[in-house]
Amino acid sequence: MNITGENMDTRMSIKEIALKLQEITNPNDDFFIQCQHDERKGVINLVKKWERSFEKEQQLKQHFITMSQYERELRKQGFALIAGIDEVGRGPLAGPVVASAVMLPETFYLPGLNDSKKIPEIKRELFYETIMQEAIAVGIGIVDNEEIDAINIYQATKKAMITAISELREQPNHLLIDAMELEVDIPQYSIIKGDAKSISISAASIIAKVTRDRMMKEYAKQYPEYGFEHNMGYGTSVHLEALSRYGLTPWHRKSFSPIKEMIHRG
């Protein structure tokens, strides 16, 4: 059996069927059912491709629904303005720690949302733009390397998160925080690995990571030897070799090993 055109005497080409299938979103669609009975190898392959794509979309949709469980439960309790909080940059040898607070509308839908480290850079940039456009509010907090050295990375992370919350143009009435508790007068949940369990925290992790990565790429233009545009300040072999050969940049954390040992050695 081969699919025919509207006049029933003109067989649809493989290319025409491929274009038509791009418009189909339901496996029970009459046209898709016809395609399943088409015996041509090209159409059989198109059907298999569509089914794989549909299955992947359903998996992403289900994952998004699962990651929305905290937000759904809080909304049932009457909390309408929920902010997800996350940070990026606790471990690097150079650069700031950056935190973000993001409040998403109830209608927000972005399949594929996940821990920012698990999303390829190109898609992460696209997600960043979508979140910035559709979020109720976004706040960003940045604590530089000198302050990290002065107050330690744990306190710097807290300060960045609290700053991010204060930068929101609307006050949240509940917080979802990735593995941290904050001294703020707002109800909060601390969620271990929250960037993979909550859409709000995941969105915050993407905003924080893209913001920090862009900063590190700017630093790389001034100090290209350290490979900041690739390692984002983490202690890779290229970075450590550059430290040994060229010394510190203004962005290095002097309280972090092995930098503090280098300083002590003189």
Side-chain angles (χ1 to χ4, degrees), residues 78-193:
F79 296 104
L81 297 175
I82 304 160
I85 322 291
D86 200 8
E87 54 72 30
V88 172
R90 292 180 72 169
L93 305 180
V97 61
V98 176
S100 177
V102 175
M103 290 196 294
L104 300 174
E106 188 172 1
T107 56
F108 184 81
Y109 181 61
L110 185 58
L113 198 61
N114 206 336
D115 173 0
S116 61
K117 297 184 292 297
K118 297 179 181 179
I119 301 173
E121 182 177 4
I122 293 176
K123 182 175 284 189
R124 197 162 57 228
E125 289 279 348
L126 293 173
F127 280 10
Y128 172 93
E129 297 300 332
T130 298
I131 294 163
M132 291 297 288
Q133 290 172 12
E134 298 186 16
I136 296 170
V138 174
I140 296 172
I142 301 172
V143 176
D144 66 24
N145 55 298
E146 293 184 356
E147 191 163 6
I148 291 170
D149 289 335
I151 65 176
N152 75 50
I153 187 60
Y154 182 74
Q155 295 301 327
T157 300
K158 280 191 170 185
K159 181 174 181 178
M161 287 182 166
I162 292 170
T163 300
I165 296 167
S166 71
E167 290 294 318
L168 291 168
R169 66 171 176 260
E170 290 195 54
Q171 176 80 357
N173 48 34
H174 206 292
L175 307 178
L176 295 172
I177 312 171
D178 186 40
M180 185 75 77
E181 292 184 6
L182 300 177
E183 292 78 27
V184 293
D185 192 23
I186 305 172
Q188 60 189 269
Y189 286 151
S190 176
I191 305 171
I192 304 299
K193 296 184 178 178

Side-chain angles (χ1 to χ4, degrees), residues 5-64:
E6 293 180 1
N7 296 328
M8 301 302 290
D9 60 348
T10 305
R11 190 169 70 174
M12 291 184 71
S13 69
I14 304 296
K15 185 176 181 180
E16 288 172 330
I17 292 172
L19 291 172
K20 179 75 172 176
L21 281 175
Q22 290 178 10
E23 303 171 2
I24 304 302
T25 59
N26 189 331
N28 296 318
D29 184 273
D30 289 341
F31 180 78
F32 182 70
I33 292 173
Q34 289 183 57
C35 289
Q36 290 176 305
H37 292 92
D38 196 304
E39 299 169 353
R40 286 174 289 175
K41 185 176 180 179
V43 179
I44 292 171
N45 289 336
L46 287 174
V47 167
K48 289 179 179 178
K49 181 180 179 182
W50 188 94
E51 288 173 336
R52 288 193 299 270
S53 177
F54 180 77
E55 182 179 357
K56 183 177 180 180
E57 287 177 8
Q58 293 303 109
Q59 290 173 348
L60 291 175
K61 181 178 180 180
Q62 184 56 52
H63 186 248
F64 187 89

Side-chain angles (χ1 to χ4, degrees), residues 203-218:
S205 78
I206 289 169
I207 298 300
K209 180 160 179 56
V210 172
T211 299
R212 187 179 188 278
D213 285 359
R214 290 177 179 179
M215 293 177 71
M216 296 308 296
K217 288 175 183 178
E218 286 300 312

